[in-house]
Amino acid sequence: MAAQRAAIIGTGLIGGSIGLALRERGWWVTGTDQDVAVAAEALSRGAIDEVGPPTDADITFVATPVGSTAPEARKALEAGRGPVTDVGSVKAPIVSAVDSPRFVGGHPMAGSEQEGVGGARADLFQNAVWVLTPTNETDDDSLVRIRSVVASLGADVVSLAPERHDALVAVVSHVPHLTAATLMALADERSEEHQVMLRLAAGGFRDMTRIASGHPGIWPDICDENSEAICSVLDRFIEALADVRSLVADGNRGGLLELLEQARSARSHLPYGLDRDVSLTEVRVPVFDRPGELARITSLTTDIGVNIFDLEIAHSVEGGQGVAILVVNAEASESLLGALREQGYAPSSRVLS
C-alpha cells in the first residue's frame, strides 16, 4: 500500500514539526520554503522526505507567515485536488481571501522558544489545542480529512467560526504576547538606571514574560491582519489596568483582594489537556449532503464544550442525504444530543464498548 503523501509549504518550526509528526506515522512528506537553505535543513533533519511542490499531496499544510498564507494556499489548491489548511494565528482575512471549499483555516496553538526547523519536534502538538475554522461553504470531506490528520498528531481539535477565532485569540494569545513584550521592554529600560533590575527578574517575572522570547518577525503581520480585535482587547485591558491603579492608589484593600481572588479562581479552572481515557458514545446525525453541515455541527460542539474524539461523514449513494458520525465523551453525549435537537437535527446514539 502506497504511503499517504503530505506537503508542507514553509518548513520552519511549525511546518517542520508537522513534517516530523507525519513521517513518524508513515506519511511521505514533501516540503518547500521561500528560503531554499531552510528547506535543505528540513530535509537533513528528517522533517521532510524530499524538497518539492504539493502536486500530488493528499493534504497540504501552509506554514508560512500570515501575510503570505493566502496566496500560498491558493497555489496549493491549484496544484492538486487534496484539501489544504494553514497554521496562521489569524483566520478571517485568510479564509476570506482563499475562498475555496477545499481550504479549512487552521491554527495549532503550540510553539517553542526555539526558532526555525532546528526547534521542530514530532511531539509538539500532543494535547495542544488545534483550531479549525470551517465555514458554510466548506466541503465536508475536506473538513473530515483535515480534522482526522490533525487529531492523529495528538492535538485537541476544536472548531470555531473564523471571526470568532480572531476575537478570542486576541485575548488569549495576541494581547498577552504584546503585554509580555511591553513589560520586558520596560524592565530593560529601567535596567539601564538600576543594574540590579534584571538580576531580580526571576520567578513570576520570568514566567510572565517567557512568551516575549518568541520570534518577533511574525508579529507585524499578525497585528496588521487582526488589528481591530487586538485594539479592542487592548482598550479593555488599558481600562482594566486603570481600575487596578485606582484600587492601589486609593488603598482599596477589599477591592484589590476581590480582584486577586477572582483571578486566582479563574486561573485554577484553566483546562490542562484532553483526557483520552474516557467512555465513548457514537452520535449519528442525519444531515443534508451539502457543504457546511459539518462546520455547523462541529462549531456547536465547541460552543457547548464537547470534545470530538473521531468524526466522519457517510454519504448516501442516492445523494441528498448523509450521516455525520461523531464519537464523544459518553458523559457529554446527552448535552450534545439535546443541543442538536434544539437546532432541528434528529440524532441517535449508542455507547461504544
Side-chain angles (χ1 to χ4, degrees):
M1 180 178 177
Q4 298 181 96
R5 302 180 70 89
I8 311 292
I9 301 172
T11 54
L13 172 65
I14 300 298
S17 295
I18 293 171
L20 288 170
L22 289 172
R23 292 193 69 222
E24 269 195 0
R25 291 156 177 81
W27 287 71
W28 179 268
V29 182
T30 62
T32 60
D33 197 280
Q34 186 175 17
D35 186 335
V36 294
V38 172
E41 184 181 0
L43 180 63
S44 68
R45 289 181 177 274
I48 58 177
D49 291 284
E50 65 176 342
V51 176
T55 52
D56 58 353
D58 297 307
I59 185 171
T60 299
F61 291 86
V62 180
T64 62
V66 167
S68 59
T69 295
E72 292 293 347
R74 288 194 295 265
K75 290 178 187 176
L77 288 162
E78 293 171 1
R81 293 182 295 178
V84 176
T85 186
D86 77 309
V87 302
S89 69
V90 180
K91 293 273 71 79
I94 292 172
V95 171
S96 177
V98 177
D99 190 26
S100 167
R102 288 190 289 122
F103 177 76
V104 180
H107 179 201
M109 301 192 71
S112 169
E113 294 177 20
Q114 294 179 279
E115 296 179 12
V117 69
R121 306 194 329 260
D123 65 350
L124 186 66
F125 310 110
Q126 286 289 335
N127 294 320
V129 172
W130 193 311
V131 183
L132 295 179
T133 59
T135 71
N136 290 340
E137 305 305 316
T138 299
D139 172 65
D140 286 344
D141 290 321
S142 295
L143 174 57
V144 169
R145 182 62 165 157
I146 291 170
R147 191 194 182 284
S148 176
V149 174
V150 167
S152 76
L153 307 186
D156 174 12
V157 188
V158 300
S159 292
L160 292 169
E163 295 79 9
R164 188 175 180 210
H165 164 276
D166 291 353
L168 294 176
V169 85
V171 177
V172 300
S173 177
H174 298 166
V175 168
H177 189 98
L178 295 173
T179 301
T182 303
L183 187 57
M184 193 67 247
L186 178 62
D188 186 49
E189 289 175 5
R190 297 294 298 274
S191 71
E192 295 180 4
E193 306 169 22
H194 308 286
Q195 292 296 320
V196 74
M197 171 76 77
L198 295 184
R199 292 182 63 188
L200 297 177
F205 185 84
R206 286 184 181 275
D207 290 341
M208 185 175 180
T209 59
R210 177 185 57 80
I211 56 175
S213 62
H215 183 38
I218 67 172
W219 285 95
D221 276 353
I222 291 172
C223 290
D224 279 347
E225 298 290 347
N226 203 29
S227 62
E228 183 176 351
I230 290 172
C231 288
S232 177
V233 176
L234 283 173
D235 288 343
R236 180 65 191 97
F237 185 45
I238 291 167
E239 292 175 4
L241 283 177
D243 292 340
V244 174
R245 185 191 184 284
S246 296
L247 293 175
V248 174
D250 297 343
N252 187 341
R253 296 169 60 90
L256 186 59
L257 183 60
E258 181 180 354
L259 170 68
L260 295 172
E261 287 178 341
Q262 177 188 4
R264 181 184 182 186
S265 175
R267 180 67 173 78
S268 70
H269 287 91
L270 286 178
Y272 291 93
L274 180 61
D275 180 9
R276 297 181 182 270
D277 186 21
V278 296
S279 298
L280 300 175
T281 292
E282 179 187 87
V283 176
R284 301 175 72 88
V285 190
V287 295
F288 289 109
D289 199 354
R290 63 190 181 192
E293 286 294 295
L294 282 188
R296 284 185 280 274
I297 291 172
T298 55
S299 294
L300 175 63
T301 65
T302 299
D303 287 340
I304 64 176
V306 174
N307 292 313
I308 302 175
F309 290 83
D310 197 10
L311 173 68
E312 63 178 293
I313 183 79
H315 298 282
S316 169
V317 294
E318 298 178 355
Q321 293 285 325
V323 177
I325 305 169
L326 299 80
V327 177
V328 301
N329 186 328
E331 294 182 357
S333 61
E334 287 303 319
S335 63
L336 175 58
L337 290 167
L340 288 167
R341 289 176 183 128
E342 287 180 2
Q343 295 299 314
Y345 294 103
S348 61
S349 66
R350 68 181 182 93
V351 175
L352 300 178
S353 57

